[in-house]
Amino acid sequence: MFPLRPRGTGEFQYTVTGLDGSPLRVVLEDPESRECITLPEVADPGASSPAHSPRNRTTSTATVFTEPGCEGDFFTLRPLTGYGSARLQLRSVVFS
Protein backbone atom coordinates (compact mmCIF):
# COMPACT_ATOMS: atom_id res chain seq x y z
CA MET A 1 0.00 0.00 0.00
CA PHE A 2 1.34 3.43 -0.94
CA PRO A 3 1.16 6.33 1.52
CA LEU A 4 -1.31 9.02 0.57
CA ARG A 5 -0.03 12.48 -0.22
CA PRO A 6 -1.38 15.14 2.09
CA ARG A 7 -3.78 17.65 0.59
CA GLY A 8 -4.75 21.16 1.46
CA THR A 9 -8.48 21.41 2.04
CA GLY A 10 -10.29 24.21 0.27
CA GLU A 11 -9.92 26.30 -2.88
CA PHE A 12 -7.05 28.17 -4.46
CA GLN A 13 -8.29 30.75 -6.96
CA TYR A 14 -6.49 32.80 -9.59
CA THR A 15 -7.40 34.90 -12.63
CA VAL A 16 -6.20 34.38 -16.21
CA THR A 17 -6.94 36.28 -19.40
CA GLY A 18 -9.37 34.39 -21.61
CA LEU A 19 -8.98 34.03 -25.37
CA ASP A 20 -11.39 36.92 -25.85
CA GLY A 21 -9.36 39.14 -23.49
CA SER A 22 -11.80 38.94 -20.59
CA PRO A 23 -10.74 37.83 -17.08
CA LEU A 24 -11.48 34.22 -16.16
CA ARG A 25 -11.42 32.93 -12.55
CA VAL A 26 -9.88 29.45 -12.19
CA VAL A 27 -10.18 27.25 -9.07
CA LEU A 28 -7.96 24.44 -7.79
CA GLU A 29 -9.93 22.23 -5.35
CA ASP A 30 -8.08 20.50 -2.49
CA PRO A 31 -4.62 20.75 -4.11
CA GLU A 32 -1.88 18.27 -3.25
CA SER A 33 0.75 19.43 -0.77
CA ARG A 34 4.50 19.61 -1.40
CA GLU A 35 4.10 19.22 -5.16
CA CYS A 36 4.78 22.03 -7.60
CA ILE A 37 1.73 22.82 -9.71
CA THR A 38 2.39 24.71 -12.93
CA LEU A 39 -0.85 26.45 -13.85
CA PRO A 40 -1.82 24.91 -17.22
CA GLU A 41 -3.46 28.06 -18.61
CA VAL A 42 -0.22 30.06 -18.26
CA ALA A 43 2.46 27.35 -18.48
CA ASP A 44 4.08 28.79 -21.63
CA PRO A 45 5.55 32.27 -20.96
CA GLY A 46 5.89 32.81 -24.72
CA ALA A 47 2.21 32.21 -25.39
CA SER A 48 0.33 33.68 -22.43
CA SER A 49 0.28 36.41 -19.85
CA PRO A 50 0.80 35.27 -16.24
CA ALA A 51 -2.12 34.58 -13.94
CA HIS A 52 -2.81 37.14 -11.23
CA SER A 53 -4.99 37.99 -8.22
CA PRO A 54 -4.50 34.72 -6.29
CA ARG A 55 -6.78 33.87 -3.36
CA ASN A 56 -5.68 31.13 -0.97
CA ARG A 57 -8.75 29.61 0.66
CA THR A 58 -6.97 26.34 1.51
CA THR A 59 -5.79 25.13 4.91
CA SER A 60 -2.18 25.16 3.61
CA THR A 61 0.30 27.95 3.03
CA ALA A 62 0.57 28.65 -0.72
CA THR A 63 3.82 29.87 -2.26
CA VAL A 64 3.29 31.33 -5.73
CA PHE A 65 6.07 31.72 -8.31
CA THR A 66 6.51 34.00 -11.31
CA GLU A 67 7.77 31.17 -13.55
CA PRO A 68 6.63 27.61 -14.38
CA GLY A 69 8.12 24.78 -12.35
CA CYS A 70 8.15 26.82 -9.12
CA GLU A 71 11.03 28.97 -10.38
CA GLY A 72 11.62 32.71 -10.27
CA ASP A 73 10.47 35.23 -7.71
CA PHE A 74 7.99 34.00 -5.13
CA PHE A 75 5.45 35.24 -2.61
CA THR A 76 3.79 33.35 0.24
CA LEU A 77 0.04 33.47 0.92
CA ARG A 78 -1.15 32.41 4.37
CA PRO A 79 -3.83 29.73 4.79
CA LEU A 80 -7.54 30.62 4.43
CA THR A 81 -7.13 34.39 4.05
CA GLY A 82 -4.05 34.97 1.87
CA TYR A 83 -4.52 36.96 -1.32
CA GLY A 84 -2.68 39.07 -3.86
CA SER A 85 -3.71 41.92 -6.12
CA ALA A 86 -3.68 42.01 -9.91
CA ARG A 87 -0.03 43.08 -9.65
CA LEU A 88 0.95 39.70 -8.12
CA GLN A 89 1.66 37.57 -11.19
CA LEU A 90 2.15 33.82 -11.08
CA ARG A 91 2.66 30.75 -13.25
CA SER A 92 3.08 28.05 -10.57
CA VAL A 93 2.29 27.31 -6.93
CA VAL A 94 3.25 24.88 -4.18
CA PHE A 95 1.29 24.19 -0.98
CA SER A 96 2.84 23.32 2.40
Side-chain angles (χ1 to χ4, degrees):
M1 189 153 218
F2 296 101
L4 295 176
R5 278 203 164 128
R7 291 186 172 272
T9 302
E11 294 182 347
F12 180 79
Q13 305 169 0
Y14 55 95
T15 301
V16 297
T17 302
L19 295 175
D20 64 355
S22 64
L24 175 66
R25 177 66 74 184
V26 181
V27 176
L28 297 177
E29 286 279 346
D30 301 332
E32 290 197 26
S33 296
R34 299 187 301 265
E35 178 178 304
C36 180
I37 301 169
T38 296
L39 307 178
E41 303 85 1
V42 296
D44 182 358
S48 63
S49 299
H52 60 85
S53 306
R55 301 285 184 262
N56 185 21
R57 304 294 181 249
T58 72
T59 56
S60 299
T61 297
T63 302
V64 299
F65 294 83
T66 57
E67 300 299 327
C70 295
E71 299 282 330
D73 293 335
F74 63 91
F75 188 81
T76 301
L77 303 171
R78 64 180 161 256
L80 302 176
T81 61
Y83 68 94
S85 72
R87 294 186 336 195
L88 180 56
Q89 299 184 343
L90 62 145
R91 291 189 186 272
S92 56
V93 60
V94 66
F95 298 89
S96 64

